[in-house]
Amino acid sequence: MRTTVFIFLAKIFFGKEVFEMLVRLYAGEIILGKIQLENVPNGLRPRVTAYLVEMGYIEDAAQ
């Protein structure tokens, strides 16, 4: 719940740049093996997944 509120407020106050920074931060943590995709907040999970597919770290499940 707190994470969802934080993401919502970050989008409002800081704009898209902070949102994209959070996406890259969580993607980097996944790449380093510190967290799993399931640990990413629901509001960021689709974009983090898309970012990882775009960068070639995971396979696209839709194919």
Side-chain angles (χ1 to χ4, degrees), residues 17-30 40 43-52:
E17 294 83 24
V18 170
F19 182 72
E20 288 299 317
M21 183 183 68
L22 286 171
V23 168
R24 284 189 227 103
L25 175 73
Y26 278 106
E29 294 292 313
I30 291 170
V40 176
L44 291 172
R45 194 173 297 158
R47 182 63 189 121
V48 170
T49 303
Y51 183 78
L52 289 170

Side-chain angles (χ1 to χ4, degrees), residues 4-49:
T4 304
V5 172
F6 174 74
I7 292 169
F8 178 73
L9 292 175
K11 280 189 198 178
I12 290 174
F13 290 117
F14 302 111
K16 187 177 179 178
E17 294 83 24
V18 170
F19 182 72
E20 288 299 317
M21 183 183 68
L22 286 171
V23 168
R24 284 189 227 103
L25 175 73
Y26 278 106
E29 294 292 313
I30 291 170
I31 291 167
L32 292 174
K34 293 186 177 185
I35 63 170
Q36 299 294 319
L37 190 57
E38 295 80 30
N39 300 112
V40 176
N42 291 334
L44 291 172
R45 194 173 297 158
R47 182 63 189 121
V48 170
T49 303

